[in-house]
Amino acid sequence: MEANFLTAVFLPLALFIIMLGMGLTLTLEDFKRVVIYPKAVVIGLVAQLIMLPIVGFGIASVFPLEPQLAVGVMILAACPGGATSNMITFLAGGDVALSVTLTAISSFITVFTIPLVVNLSMQRFLGEGTTLQLPFLNTVLQIAVITLLPIAIGMIAKRYAPGLADKADKPVKWLSLFFLAVVITGVLLRERNNFVSYVIDVGLATLVLNVVAMALGFAIATLTRLGEKRVTAITVEVGIQNGTLAIAIASTPTLLNSPTMAIPGAIYGLLMFVTGAGFAWWSSRRQALLKA
């Protein structure tokens, strides 16, 4: 697969399909839950949108990363949530409604926060004189088209053609996983000559980001006494980033067009399934023991 076709056509299409799948599971009730349990939603959003970039900045600063890889870690930290987090929350026995609500709301907010976080990161790690930046308005519009538009289409289908949406839900989820696998494979193949060195350089940093974020999410939700299922949901939502969106922002020609910056997202995309599955297994057993 040609690199330009992967980044210019296939990657935005893949993200569009993935976000469409998420939209097929959403209704307006998911947004109304902010009123029903505002404490859990506010805590989750603060952890996702404020704590995560701070943690990412600390990791990108402490690890001896190439400047572009450090920015790639920050892009990842700026892209919380995604359809995968909802699936892992379900497997872990968490509050799926809260998970979906956090994913939906953060998807809208990060359209505006991602350009700010990424541009500040590039100034910090690439230097004040760097000419590479995300134009704010153009980036907001592009991210909205590949994330909010498909979510809206999915929600409209769910509202006005629920039977069709329910039938399409499972196939679209499998198609999303397929697209995600192809995107990650394509990015890694594109950088295959440096793959081993990249894994050595940034693999541990992305793993630490994943594990530390999950641990902090668990600690915050536990200390604020949100209840077992909500603790599980917030742990996953804070700990599992939207790797596909991070790859798209880094490598799409009309955005940053930097294959190197996409590497952390690609490696993270592989690791998160391992840590997510491990947490789901541990959480399920923990809840079973608490009930016994």
Side-chain angles (χ1 to χ4, degrees):
M1 184 181 294
E2 291 292 330
N4 58 348
F5 178 79
L6 172 71
T7 55
V9 179
F10 189 86
L11 180 53
L13 176 62
L15 186 58
F16 192 96
I17 294 295
I18 290 170
M19 302 310 285
L20 173 65
M22 191 177 83
L24 289 172
T25 68
L26 294 175
T27 66
L28 290 177
E29 297 299 321
D30 295 312
F31 296 92
K32 292 178 181 177
R33 290 192 187 98
V34 177
V35 178
I36 297 173
Y37 39 78
K39 179 181 176 181
V41 173
V42 169
I43 289 171
L45 289 174
V46 168
Q48 285 181 310
L49 302 174
I50 298 177
M51 185 189 75
L52 256 177
I54 293 173
V55 171
F57 179 79
I59 291 171
S61 300
V62 169
F63 280 82
L65 302 175
E66 294 178 23
Q68 288 194 328
L69 292 178
V71 174
V73 170
M74 287 303 300
I75 295 172
L76 192 57
C79 298
T84 305
S85 62
N86 305 149
M87 178 184 69
I88 293 175
T89 297
F90 170 75
L91 295 174
D95 187 331
V96 178
L98 175 60
S99 174
V100 169
T101 300
L102 287 171
T103 298
I105 296 174
S106 66
S107 295
F108 280 86
I109 297 175
T110 51
V111 168
F112 302 98
T113 59
I114 286 172
L116 297 175
V117 172
V118 174
N119 282 333
L120 287 173
S121 302
M122 287 191 291
Q123 289 180 14
R124 166 64 178 82
F125 295 108
L126 298 180
E128 292 288 341
T130 181
T131 57
L132 188 63
Q133 65 174 348
L134 287 173
F136 183 80
L137 183 58
N138 184 48
T139 303
V140 167
L141 291 174
Q142 289 192 60
I143 295 176
V145 168
I146 58 178
T147 59
L148 301 189
L149 178 60
I151 288 175
I153 292 172
M155 289 182 67
I156 291 170
K158 180 74 171 176
R159 172 67 177 84
Y160 293 103
L164 178 63
D166 291 341
K167 288 181 181 178
D169 182 38
K170 185 173 290 186
V172 170
K173 282 182 178 177
W174 283 109
L175 189 61
S176 297
L177 289 174
F178 167 75
F179 274 123
L180 177 59
V182 172
V183 166
I184 292 173
T185 302
V187 171
L188 294 180
L189 284 176
R190 185 176 181 178
E191 298 296 312
R192 59 187 176 274
N193 294 332
N194 300 311
F195 175 69
V196 175
S197 63
Y198 280 145
V199 170
I200 294 172
D201 290 342
V202 80
L204 182 58
T206 56
L207 178 61
V208 170
L209 174 65
N210 183 198
V211 173
V212 169
M214 291 183 80
L216 288 174
F218 180 84
I220 292 170
T222 300
L223 290 173
T224 50
R225 300 180 180 180
L226 294 179
E228 193 63 35
K229 288 186 175 294
R230 292 177 186 174
V231 167
T232 299
I234 288 180
T235 301
V236 176
E237 280 297 313
V238 176
I240 301 296
Q241 272 61 262
N242 191 339
T244 314
L245 179 57
I247 294 170
I249 291 169
S251 59
T252 298
T254 53
L255 292 173
L256 290 176
N257 195 26
S258 172
T260 302
M261 289 183 186
I263 289 297
I267 294 175
Y268 180 90
L270 298 174
L271 294 174
M272 72 178 182
F273 286 106
V274 178
T275 57
F279 175 76
W281 174 82
W282 175 81
S283 180
S284 297
R285 284 184 59 85
R286 182 170 178 267
Q287 290 183 41
L289 290 173
L290 290 173
K291 290 179 181 179

